[in-house]
């Protein structure tokens, strides 16, 4: 058989016609695809976190779902008229879908408007990350939640050498036996947290370790030493590699440098006035070290809802969210506190019942910043909020939001006519 030179093959006239017709059809198909309207959506489960992240629904025409988002927006705008508020970012996930994203106010007096790109501090909401990473490492066989701290070379020393038998599970569920927020003042004064942890042994315990819930920051951060011992990585790097990068949380960072390197970050304020920036709690990163945009926090909530089983399996989430110990009422004297029944604490995660619905989440506050996440695992519906002031109003608004979700009669939890009182230590919703 003679060889065929592809450059000298002659094509018959009918064949040339069909080639031309095919090319025209292909061109029309390509043009049609380019003209099709693009839809918005959420970051969904995908291997290795490589799913495309569509633009967040920041405009009213993009807010879609069963929830009355115009009503939500109207109420939030009313809340922003209170002098305690400065800037606020809000996102709602409804039935697993990122359905509402909106910024309000400004990053500082005379600053840029808050939007989906504004970075805030998570404060104590960061504890959900530490608990989740530890549960993930346990599922991977790197450690056990029942390992005692004596299996690790940590700086924590408890009264009566209780750290020897204290388990990782007890540490992360805030059952050290120490008094609430032990020695936080020393941290705020600039003392090294490793040194502070070594001095807890001189304190009188409020209960035998493992038996009651006493909220901590410095002691809780001991988990960073455990994670370094098991992974060989700095805590922030371990979180980045195992959680934030796979989830596609590209705007999420640790520490003051991470915050201030952001293109747009919110400054701390109190009643409209600038506050001096404090980095004290960045020195306990597992307790309060995370920064991000509201969209990245919404992605974190979606992962906690079980929408990213490739990163966080159902068994890991079950360990994180399962209550280990009863707690006092979160939100102290705020009116929402009366409605949160049966509060408990898991691995850096709170749980409670609201109007007969089981909710989980966490909140936090450092000087000039607040953060909160609250959602219903059963329906994968919840709200996240970040703001740059000491205001308590957004904490209260969570109850109004879920009343709207459940179609319940309106209750005025914001009580805007009364204003927002200055927070006390019991109202920081840690």
């Amino acid at each position: 058989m003679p060889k065929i030179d592809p450059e000298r093959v002659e094509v018959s006239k009918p064949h040339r016609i069909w080639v031309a017709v095919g090319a025209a059809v292909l061109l029309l198909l390509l043009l049609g695809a380019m003209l099709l309207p693009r839809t918005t959506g959420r970051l969904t489960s995908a291997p290795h976190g490589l799913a495309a992240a569509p633009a967040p629904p920041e405009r009213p025409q993009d807010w879609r779902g069963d929830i009355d988002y115009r009503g939500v927006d109207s109420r939030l705008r009313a809340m922003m008229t209170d002098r305690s508020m400065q800037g606020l970012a809000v996102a709602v996930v409804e039935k697993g879908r990122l359905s509402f994203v909106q910024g309000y106010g400004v990053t500082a007096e005379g600053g840029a408007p808050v939007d989906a790109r504004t970075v805030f501090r998570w404060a104590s909401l960061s504890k959900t990350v530490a608990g989740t990473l530890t549960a993930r490492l346990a599922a991977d066989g790197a450690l056990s939640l029942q390992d005692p701290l004596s299996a690790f070379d940590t700086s924590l020393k408890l009264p009566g050498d209780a750290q020897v038998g204290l388990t990782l599970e007890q540490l992360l569920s805030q059952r050290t036996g120490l008094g609430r927020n032990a020695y936080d003042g020393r941290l705020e004064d600039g003392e090294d947290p490793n040194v502070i942890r070594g001095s807890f042994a001189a304190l009188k315990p409020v209960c035998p370790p493992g038996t009651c819930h006493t909220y901590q920051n410095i002691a809780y951060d001991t988990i960073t030493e455990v994670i370094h011992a098991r992974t060989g990585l700095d805590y922030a790097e371990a979180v980045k590699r195992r959680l934030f990068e796979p989830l596609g949380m590209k705007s999420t960072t640790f520490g003051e440098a991470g915050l201030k390197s952001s293109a747009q970050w919110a400054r701390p304020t109190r009643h409209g006035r600038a506050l001096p920036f404090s980095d004290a709690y960045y020195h306990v990163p597992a307790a309060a070290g995370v920064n991000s945009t509201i969209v990245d926090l919404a992605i974190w909530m979606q992962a906690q809802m079980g929408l990213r089983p490739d990163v966080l399996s159902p068994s890991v989430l079950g360990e994180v969210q399962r209550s280990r110990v009863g707690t006092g009422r979160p939100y102290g004297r705020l009116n929402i506190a009366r409605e949160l029944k049966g509060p408990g604490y898991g691995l850096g995660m709170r749980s409670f019942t609201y109007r007969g619905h089981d909710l989980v989440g966490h909140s936090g506050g450092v000087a000039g910043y607040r953060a909160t996440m609250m959602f219903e695992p059963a329906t994968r519906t919840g709200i996240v909020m970040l703001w740059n002031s000491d205001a308590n109003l957004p904490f209260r608004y969570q109850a109004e939001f879920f009343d709207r979700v459940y179609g319940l009669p309106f209750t005025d939890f914001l009580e805007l006519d009364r204003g927002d009182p200055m927070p006390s230590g019991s109202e920081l919703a840690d």
Side-chain angles (χ1 to χ4, degrees), residues 42-52 96 246-247 299 302-303 306-312 380:
R42 60 175 173 83
L43 181 65
T44 54
S45 177
H48 313 301
L50 296 179
L247 290 173
I299 291 172
Q302 287 177 310
L307 294 168
R308 290 301 305 272
D310 56 305
V311 181
L312 298 177
R380 292 175 169 172

Side-chain angles (χ1 to χ4, degrees), residues 299-359:
I299 291 172
W300 180 246
M301 181 167 66
Q302 287 177 310
Q304 291 291 331
M305 289 174 170
L307 294 168
R308 290 301 305 272
D310 56 305
V311 181
L312 298 177
S313 68
S315 62
V316 167
L317 295 178
E319 289 287 2
V320 172
Q321 297 172 16
R322 178 171 60 85
S323 175
R324 304 317 204 277
V325 60
T327 75
R329 295 191 308 186
Y331 302 111
R333 295 189 298 272
L334 298 183
N335 51 17
I336 184 177
R338 298 190 297 269
E339 304 301 330
L340 301 178
K341 310 299 184 183
Y345 208 88
L347 303 183
M349 187 75 77
R350 289 190 177 276
S351 60
F352 29 71
T353 300
Y354 178 75
R355 314 282 205 204
H357 298 266
D358 294 329
L359 306 179

Side-chain angles (χ1 to χ4, degrees), residues 3-279:
K3 293 183 179 180
I4 300 176
D5 184 350
E7 294 184 359
R8 297 186 62 184
V9 172
E10 293 185 1
V11 181
S12 65
K13 184 175 181 180
H15 192 97
R16 288 198 299 269
I17 292 173
W18 281 113
V19 169
V21 170
V25 171
L26 180 60
L27 179 60
L28 288 172
L29 288 173
L30 288 173
L31 287 172
M34 292 173 65
L35 293 173
L36 284 173
R38 296 185 180 184
T39 58
T40 60
R42 60 175 173 83
L43 181 65
T44 54
S45 177
H48 313 301
L50 296 179
E58 288 187 272
R59 301 173 300 169
Q61 59 265 37
D62 297 328
W63 302 338
R64 294 188 177 90
D66 296 332
I67 299 170
D68 175 12
Y69 289 111
R70 292 184 184 274
V72 169
D73 178 62
S74 176
R75 194 63 173 151
L76 292 172
R77 290 185 185 279
M79 183 178 73
M80 291 301 298
T81 64
D82 190 89
R83 70 187 186 94
S84 68
M85 297 299 299
Q86 180 75 29
L88 169 72
V90 182
V92 173
V93 172
E94 180 183 349
K95 298 177 182 176
R97 180 181 182 273
L98 181 57
S99 301
F100 176 91
V101 175
Q102 187 62 42
Y104 303 88
V106 292
T107 58
E109 185 176 1
V114 170
D115 60 24
R117 297 163 295 181
T118 306
V119 175
F120 295 81
R121 296 177 68 170
W122 284 21
S124 286
L125 206 158
S126 305
K127 291 181 175 69
T128 65
V129 176
T132 300
L133 177 58
T134 306
R136 167 77 185 273
L137 291 173
D140 293 343
L143 49 77
S144 169
L145 294 174
Q146 302 310 315
D147 283 341
L149 283 180
S150 56
F152 308 90
D153 183 19
T154 75
S155 60
L156 183 64
K157 299 294 185 287
L158 295 175
D161 279 334
Q163 77 280 353
V164 173
L166 193 79
T167 67
L168 301 185
E169 179 187 42
Q170 291 169 336
L171 174 71
L172 293 172
S173 56
Q174 305 280 22
R175 289 182 284 166
T176 61
L178 296 171
R180 178 181 171 87
N181 295 91
Y183 286 151
D184 276 6
R186 289 171 59 179
L187 181 71
E188 292 168 4
D189 288 340
E191 212 171 325
D192 185 336
N194 290 326
V195 174
I196 300 173
R197 280 193 281 267
S199 66
F200 284 144
L203 294 176
K204 182 179 180 179
V206 298
C207 67
T211 63
C212 72
H213 175 269
T214 58
Y215 192 86
Q216 304 297 318
N217 287 306
I218 305 165
Y220 186 93
D221 190 64
T222 306
I223 198 64
T224 61
E225 300 177 56
V226 172
I227 289 170
H228 175 72
R230 281 295 181 263
T231 66
L233 298 171
D234 172 77
Y235 173 72
E237 185 63 24
V239 171
K240 178 181 176 182
R241 292 189 189 184
R242 292 179 178 264
L243 296 177
F244 293 163
E245 284 187 346
L247 290 173
M249 296 170 63
K250 296 180 180 179
S251 76
T252 308
T253 62
F254 276 90
E256 181 179 2
L259 177 72
K260 293 185 175 180
S261 65
S262 305
Q264 179 175 304
W265 60 280
R267 274 62 171 176
T269 68
R270 177 175 293 157
H271 283 273
R273 297 180 180 179
L275 280 180
F277 189 92
S278 172
D279 71 345

